[in-house]
Amino acid sequence: MSVIAALLLASTGTAQAAPPPQRVTFDRYSLRIDGKPTLIWSSEFHPFRLPSPDLWRDILQKMKASGFNTVAIYIDWGFHSPKKGVYDFSGIRDIDRLLTMAQEEGLYVITRAGPYVNAELSRGGFPGWLVNQPGKARTDDPEYLAAVDEWLSHINPIIAKHQLGRGGTIILHQIENELALTTPSQSRYMQHLYDKARADGITVPMFHNDQGRNGYWVPKSSDVSLTVPGPQELYAFDGYPGGVCGVDNKPTKGAPAPDWGLYGPGGAKGGASASPKTPGFLAEFGGGWFDYWGSNGMYPCNAIQRGSGYQRVFYGTNIANGIAIQSIYMGYGGTSWGWLPAPVVYTSYDYGSAIDEARNLRPKALELKQIGQFLAAVPDLARLEKAPPVTIAGSDAVQVYHDRNPDTDMRLLFVAPKPSNATGDARFTITADLPDGRYSFASELHGRDAKLLVAGLNLERQRLVYASSELQTTIRRGTEDVALFYGRAGEPGEMVLRYASAPKVTVIEGQVASSFDPAKGDLRLTYVHQGLARVRIEGGARPPLLLLIGDVAAGQSFFRQDGLLERGPALVRHAVVRGSTLDLTGDTDTAAPLEVWGPVRSIRWNGQAVPVTRSASRSLIAKRPLPAPESLTLPDLMAATWRYAEGSPETRPDFDDSGWTVAGSARNVATVRPPTGQPNLGADAYGFHDGDVWYRGRFQGSAQAKTATIHHGAGGAGMLQLFLDGKLIGQHELAGGLPRPITTGVAEFALPPEAQTPGEHVLAAMVRVNGHNWDLDVDDAHKEPRGLISVSLADASGDSFAVPIAWKIQGRAGGEDLRDVARGPSNNGGLYGERMGWTLPDFADGAWSSMKLADATPYMGTSWYRTTFDLSVPKNEDATIGLQIGDAKTPRSPGRYRVLIFVNGWNMGQFVANVGPQRVFPIPEGILHHRGRNTLALAVTSDGAPGNGIEPVRLVTLHHARGGVSVTDVAVPTYRDLYPSH
Ligand code: IPT
């Protein structure tokens, strides 16, 4: 209790419940957490794209170890709500658990809970049932607001509970995403969202994510003219500069890094934001990009386009512009499994992000780690303003952003190419008036690169006058300080530290020259960055300093926790000091050395004692390398026995569709309608929102019935198959591609002679629905219909004629009433096999025919292949195992077919042979049983023509390390639970 509170209590005599202290505040520079200006360095993670909650911890630990202090999460409304009024937050939907984990792992959290998120999700994250609302979404339409309140009443309390100081680490909350329409209706909607969040107990500062630095929804308090005011406290925006890969799958030069703060428009007014009274805040900054159906498989290239160099140039430019809250989209992209993907993307949402889809740390994560450690080591960076320009001699191809902290006068010198997308070689000299005097030093830039240099900085108990090397991190180890700097291998470097008198300099390792200027008190060190130099500096009226000066690779080998530095293994997850012993947990992908600086005498690695010796730089060094993972052998699926069944009985005239829904009369609120008078066939109107839908239409044959023209909505790279009386008449596939995939199509089919014979005939249609559009532009695009839109029969001259067709429809069994709640709304569509539980592990397929997959022949419609395989990944090892279809080197097959991949009942993706590009589907542990039996069920859809059948299928190892987190298989119901009467 504070003194004042105690006095108040004493004077009034009553215990008044004081409002909880507001722990997150801000000024125009930065957030303040418990009053302390704090730079937020964040990256994005989507829990719904990793359906194995124990692995969420792996991602969070990898983010933390990569230098981030914050994780930003989208929460996908539709993922939690299959039906109006029905919500689920258990199992893979346990947001409470995720937020607890983030707290346990020491990460702040930014929550972005919709209602609309975009995120390349089907409907941009809206639930399926919302598309049946007539009122316009993202407005103040009362029915829409009522739906929104239903969601917010569920999610807001979970968020409120995990706010910083109230039981968790949430520091910021987003109320809408990229709402670029700003009519009075949107203003009222925004106010409603804000008020609802406050009413539900959310007290942290709130923001909206502007689609670019447009100044939409700048907080009212900022009194900026020419913008649309918003109710929230903070202004945030997103940006994806830096170019995209070419179709040749090569990185492109891209545009220079934009100045979106101090050096950009409005920056002159002193603000780093379009909102001068609030901090510069990038709620999303491109750390990769999504990839689309039919590409050449761009993720590896996207990782390079926004990889090394890009990160230093672009994130550095943001930091120099005073953007004190920066979140990289995505930190881990993951998998748009099942029917999560919007039409613009395929299953993999790898995004080219620092942590790849299989949970490997890409090389670019190491660079992020260096930036993140630097930002954490220099709290002065949270408050920046412009400092006077510096002088650059020797090159016109360089620019230096010179910033200062108004409180400490610390300087940031951000050295970048000019323009910043240039990739030449520059050698130059920078002269600057710094807090400790006027100094000149040489520097270089080669290729795509930039440097974040600091000067005039109190570094632990030392004084850094300037350095041409980049500071990475520091620790305080008892009486000694340790500072780690780095530079490009082979480049000369220098730094000046200040002392009252000449200190003693001992070069322990490497070649470092030193000289002392007693007039200024400057100790000048010169060296070439190579490996890791170690220098001890003692005396000079300061505590001793161990200076580590590495090349980039040496710097990148370091992990840091409070008071501890470690290097060697691929990943250090946790470092816990217990007495004089250090307990390290982490991963090795190969036999790895280990070196540790910290206040300890002995070390355990993943629970095993590690014999150590002490080095001359007083670190502990493991006497033997840490062990590598064992080699992993995977079962050969081509040698396995498979079970086979045909799976399109709906096509047959005598198929019993008595349980299906009569289609036609439901209210139609879709954005595309059939011609007047025609029935509403859109699947959503009948409660079928995700995955495949089947239609059966009975009509009387007639001599006129020569063609059928079908308007359908199948989403990105979706398809329609049309059958008459059990025979495939044809199929129609939609193209993928950017910028907007084709999501509806019109196809004309010639009807076979049967249609012209009297009597009843059955048209059967299967629509493979690849996602609903997002609603990015607030035009209700998510209400574009899916399934059939209209069907017209025509005669030989092409004139359509009225023939009554009695339609029935069947999608996912139960529609909005989920049978399989654990796997949830995005797992299943309406294939016959899905409705019958053929995807489930304990479904008895013993009566099916048995075969080898190599003997499979194409089938007209959908056919099913099932097999089982056993895995025995050692318990102390982490792996991601994937399923590969066909030849990984070619994005497309000559064959024309598609596959839904069910692993242990989970729909883990769709392969479209002739569209591509994805052939390898990572299956996370927890879905895949790493120690036990697995069931694979493939639903193959084809026109049955030769060559249009399943290619060889194999298991592949996509990630393998010794270490990892412990994973429990996700709890799911069995076939027996779901089909008790069978
Ligand atoms: C912006 C969205 O906010 C985000 O949800 C996601 O869609 C992302 O970018 C792209 O991956 S959309 C903006 C780039 C128009």
Side-chain angles (χ1 to χ4, degrees):
M1 191 186 308
S2 74
V3 177
I4 293 175
L7 283 175
L8 268 176
L9 247 182
S11 64
T12 61
T14 48
Q16 301 232 338
Q22 196 55 46
R23 297 189 55 184
V24 187
T25 56
F26 60 90
D27 59 20
R28 73 183 172 101
Y29 295 102
S30 69
L31 281 195
R32 288 171 170 269
I33 297 183
D34 293 327
K36 187 170 172 263
T38 305
L39 198 135
I40 300 303
W41 178 239
S42 165
S43 68
E44 178 97 6
F45 169 54
H46 296 159
F48 47 86
R49 285 191 159 112
L50 181 57
S52 180
D54 288 326
L55 288 177
W56 296 344
R57 192 182 292 284
D58 178 64
I59 300 303
L60 298 175
Q61 290 182 349
K62 282 173 176 160
M63 286 180 166
K64 181 84 197 277
S66 301
F68 291 102
N69 61 6
T70 304
V71 58
I73 57 165
Y74 266 146
I75 308 174
D76 170 4
W77 178 5
F79 191 64
H80 298 266
S81 181
K83 183 180 184 178
K84 183 159 171 43
V86 178
Y87 286 83
D88 181 53
F89 292 92
S90 64
I92 63 168
R93 296 175 179 75
D94 191 345
I95 300 299
D96 180 78
R97 183 164 174 215
L98 172 70
L99 294 170
T100 302
M101 271 185 200
Q103 177 179 28
E104 288 166 353
E105 298 303 333
L107 284 166
Y108 294 129
V109 181
I110 301 174
T111 43
R112 313 200 303 146
Y116 184 74
V117 297
N118 209 57
E120 289 71 72
L121 285 169
S122 189
R123 300 173 290 265
F126 281 147
W129 52 268
L130 199 76
V131 306
N132 289 332
Q133 284 202 342
K136 191 170 176 183
R138 307 177 78 190
T139 69
D140 66 342
D141 170 77
E143 207 186 338
Y144 171 71
L145 287 188
V148 159
D149 282 355
E150 193 184 281
W151 161 241
L152 295 178
S153 296
H154 282 92
I155 193 65
N156 283 349
I158 298 174
I159 291 167
K161 181 181 151 195
H162 287 276
Q163 294 174 100
L164 191 74
R166 288 169 172 76
T169 49
I170 294 171
I171 51 168
L172 293 168
H173 176 67
Q174 181 182 317
I175 56 171
E176 236 284 357
N177 192 65
E178 296 190 317
L179 187 63
L181 194 66
T182 53
T183 69
S185 169
Q186 269 76 37
S187 278
R188 292 189 291 269
Y189 167 49
M190 286 287 283
Q191 187 68 49
H192 180 94
L193 296 175
Y194 179 86
D195 293 344
K196 174 73 178 144
R198 284 279 177 258
D200 288 339
I202 297 181
T203 58
V204 294
M206 291 194 270
F207 66 98
H208 162 264
N209 172 32
D210 191 359
Q211 190 182 129
R213 197 176 180 276
N214 304 308
Y216 295 144
W217 313 115
V218 165
K220 281 187 192 124
S221 57
S222 274
D223 12 282
V224 204
S225 54
L226 295 174
T227 54
V228 188
Q232 5 62 246
E233 287 73 32
L234 297 179
Y235 173 74
F237 63 102
D238 64 23
Y240 291 79
V244 289
C245 291
V247 279
D248 58 356
N249 234 345
K250 298 243 164 61
T252 56
K253 188 171 178 227
D259 289 311
W260 277 332
L262 295 174
Y263 294 84
K269 283 186 265 163
S273 167
S275 155
K277 292 186 179 171
T278 64
F281 183 175
L282 268 162
E284 290 173 24
F285 192 77
W289 190 239
F290 59 82
D291 199 18
Y292 54 93
W293 286 114
S295 85
N296 289 325
M298 311 272 256
Y299 285 134
C301 181
N302 289 353
I304 295 167
Q305 181 80 27
R306 289 199 173 72
S308 292
Y310 164 88
Q311 303 184 117
R312 294 195 191 277
V313 172
F314 282 71
Y315 306 156
T317 300
N318 292 338
I319 291 160
N321 268 281
I323 307 285
I325 309 171
Q326 182 171 189
S327 189
I328 294 167
Y329 189 103
M330 297 293 301
Y332 171 74
T335 307
S336 304
W337 58 281
W339 300 109
L340 285 179
V344 287
V345 291
Y346 52 87
T347 304
S348 173
Y349 199 70
D350 175 274
Y351 219 83
S353 51
I355 307 171
D356 75 12
E357 190 185 6
R359 298 182 292 102
N360 294 291
L361 287 168
R362 284 200 161 100
K364 67 192 259 190
L366 298 173
E367 197 177 88
L368 289 173
K369 180 172 69 173
Q370 288 184 300
I371 298 172
Q373 288 183 1
F374 164 67
L375 299 177
V378 188
D380 313 51
L381 293 165
R383 288 164 71 79
L384 291 179
E385 53 188 38
K386 283 188 190 177
V390 304
T391 308
I392 307 164
S395 174
D396 295 334
V398 174
Q399 54 191 329
V400 176
Y401 294 65
H402 184 199
D403 292 348
R404 64 186 286 275
N405 177 301
D407 311 320
T408 64
D409 203 27
M410 182 261 354
R411 305 304 174 85
L412 171 69
L413 296 155
F414 174 60
V415 185
K418 183 180 159 187
S420 67
N421 59 342
T423 52
D425 293 294
R427 291 186 173 76
F428 48 93
T429 303
I430 297 169
T431 304
D433 286 307
L434 299 171
D436 299 298
R438 185 176 175 83
Y439 289 89
S440 293
F441 60 89
S443 185
E444 303 179 14
L445 277 182
H446 302 285
R448 175 168 260 200
D449 201 2
K451 293 177 180 171
L452 286 157
L453 307 181
V454 278
L457 173 68
N458 293 327
L459 199 68
E460 302 295 352
R461 290 156 290 190
Q462 318 295 322
R463 176 71 179 177
L464 177 69
V465 175
Y466 73 85
S468 73
S469 304
E470 284 172 89
L471 173 65
Q472 183 166 327
T473 193
T474 66
I475 59 167
R476 211 180 257 220
R477 195 175 57 158
T479 55
E480 183 187 63
D481 294 337
V482 183
L484 170 65
F485 287 81
Y486 67 94
R488 313 301 175 268
E491 260 183 41
E494 62 182 82
M495 75 175 72
V496 170
L497 296 155
R498 188 151 284 191
Y499 290 92
S501 57
K504 179 175 163 222
V505 178
T506 312
V507 177
I508 302 164
E509 207 175 314
Q511 294 197 337
V512 179
S514 65
S515 60
F516 187 72
D517 172 353
K520 289 188 188 162
D522 281 2
L523 175 71
R524 185 163 184 269
L525 303 165
T526 55
Y527 44 84
V528 172
H529 300 98
Q530 202 63 260
L532 187 68
R534 305 164 189 236
V535 181
R536 171 163 290 102
I537 305 171
E538 290 156 301
R542 289 187 187 277
L545 169 68
L546 173 68
L547 200 55
L548 303 171
I549 306 170
D551 55 20
V552 170
Q556 290 180 342
S557 68
F558 279 85
F559 292 89
R560 181 192 188 280
Q561 286 82 16
D562 295 329
L564 291 158
L565 281 177
E566 315 92 27
R567 68 188 295 241
L571 177 68
V572 176
R573 294 170 183 272
H574 282 163
V576 182
V577 177
R578 293 179 221 274
S580 63
T581 299
L582 175 61
D583 256 315
L584 291 174
T585 50
D587 293 8
T588 53
D589 46 15
T590 168
L594 176 68
E595 181 170 16
V596 170
W597 285 266
V600 290
R601 280 198 298 275
S602 59
I603 300 176
R604 279 194 293 258
W605 172 257
N606 290 337
Q608 302 290 311
V610 178
V612 287
T613 55
R614 199 168 274 282
S615 75
S617 54
R618 296 189 198 157
S619 60
L620 296 177
I621 296 182
K623 285 183 176 157
R624 286 188 299 275
L626 303 177
E630 288 165 31
S631 70
L632 196 61
T633 47
L634 300 174
D636 177 2
L637 298 180
M638 296 312 282
T641 299
W642 292 69
R643 296 283 180 175
Y644 174 78
E646 295 175 354
S648 304
E650 301 92 335
T651 64
R652 291 199 295 262
D654 60 349
F655 178 81
D656 177 10
D657 61 13
S658 55
W660 289 25
T661 307
V662 173
S665 60
R667 177 168 70 163
N668 198 337
V669 302
T671 53
V672 180
R673 310 266 172 100
T676 319
Q678 283 213 22
N680 175 13
L681 298 177
D684 289 280
Y686 304 95
F688 304 121
H689 307 302
D690 303 286
D692 299 346
V693 271
W694 272 97
Y695 293 85
R696 284 168 53 83
R698 292 181 171 80
F699 69 102
Q700 294 298 321
S702 117
Q704 282 175 290
K706 292 287 195 187
T707 62
T709 301
I710 299 197
H711 189 187
H712 65 92
M719 80 175 316
L720 161 81
Q721 284 195 325
L722 186 68
F723 302 81
L724 181 78
D725 296 342
K727 277 201 301 244
L728 182 72
I729 306 177
Q731 64 184 29
H732 187 238
E733 292 177 272
L734 297 178
L738 278 183
R740 288 220 165 182
I742 312 290
T743 50
T744 61
V746 176
E748 190 183 289
F749 299 92
L751 292 173
E754 289 88 325
Q756 291 118 44
T757 58
E760 185 180 272
H761 298 279
V762 179
L763 274 176
M766 189 212 73
V767 187
R768 164 67 43 92
V769 178
N770 280 349
H772 286 62
N773 301 344
W774 57 27
D775 188 29
L776 185 60
D777 302 324
V778 202
D779 53 4
D780 270 355
H782 59 297
K783 295 179 186 167
E784 185 181 83
R786 291 295 180 259
L788 297 184
I789 300 170
S790 65
V791 179
S792 322
L793 302 190
D795 62 20
S797 61
D799 294 331
S800 61
F801 63 101
V803 55
I805 308 179
W807 286 107
K808 285 191 140 188
I809 181 171
Q810 177 66 62
R812 169 172 66 225
E816 292 178 355
D817 295 302
L818 292 186
R819 190 194 296 256
D820 187 347
V821 172
R823 295 185 180 90
S826 38
N827 197 59
N828 288 110
L831 288 178
Y832 183 79
E834 291 181 278
R835 297 183 335 251
M836 295 297 127
W838 294 359
T839 59
L840 297 167
D842 57 334
F843 167 78
D845 58 13
W848 293 17
S849 54
S850 92
M851 63 178 313
K852 291 275 185 278
L853 202 62
D855 300 326
T857 52
Y859 170 77
M860 247 184 236
T862 298
S863 54
W864 289 80
Y865 300 85
R866 282 172 55 99
T867 193
T868 58
F869 58 90
D870 296 330
L871 293 175
S872 53
V873 181
K875 206 153 181 43
N876 56 359
E877 294 192 2
D878 186 16
T880 300
I881 295 164
L883 188 78
Q884 178 182 317
I885 303 181
D887 174 4
K889 286 189 228 69
T890 59
R892 272 165 288 282
S893 303
R896 184 173 281 272
Y897 70 98
R898 50 185 73 203
V899 186
L900 297 184
I901 301 163
F902 290 91
V903 179
N904 297 323
W906 295 84
N907 177 352
M908 293 313 297
Q910 181 179 191
F911 170 70
V912 184
N914 46 308
V915 177
Q918 189 178 3
R919 284 185 178 277
V920 180
F921 296 79
I923 317 296
E925 184 184 6
I927 298 300
L928 199 62
H929 308 150
H930 276 198
R931 284 166 286 283
R933 171 138 305 183
N934 293 277
T935 302
L936 180 61
L938 304 178
V940 179
T941 301
S942 162
D943 63 1
N948 294 345
I950 184 81
E951 292 161 86
V953 166
R954 56 181 61 84
L955 296 169
V956 287
T957 303
L958 304 173
H959 166 70
H960 188 203
R962 196 178 172 107
V965 296
S966 111
V967 179
T968 308
D969 291 336
V970 177
V972 280
T974 63
Y975 176 81
R976 238 164 281 282
D977 297 330
L978 297 176
Y979 295 84
S981 57
H982 283 225

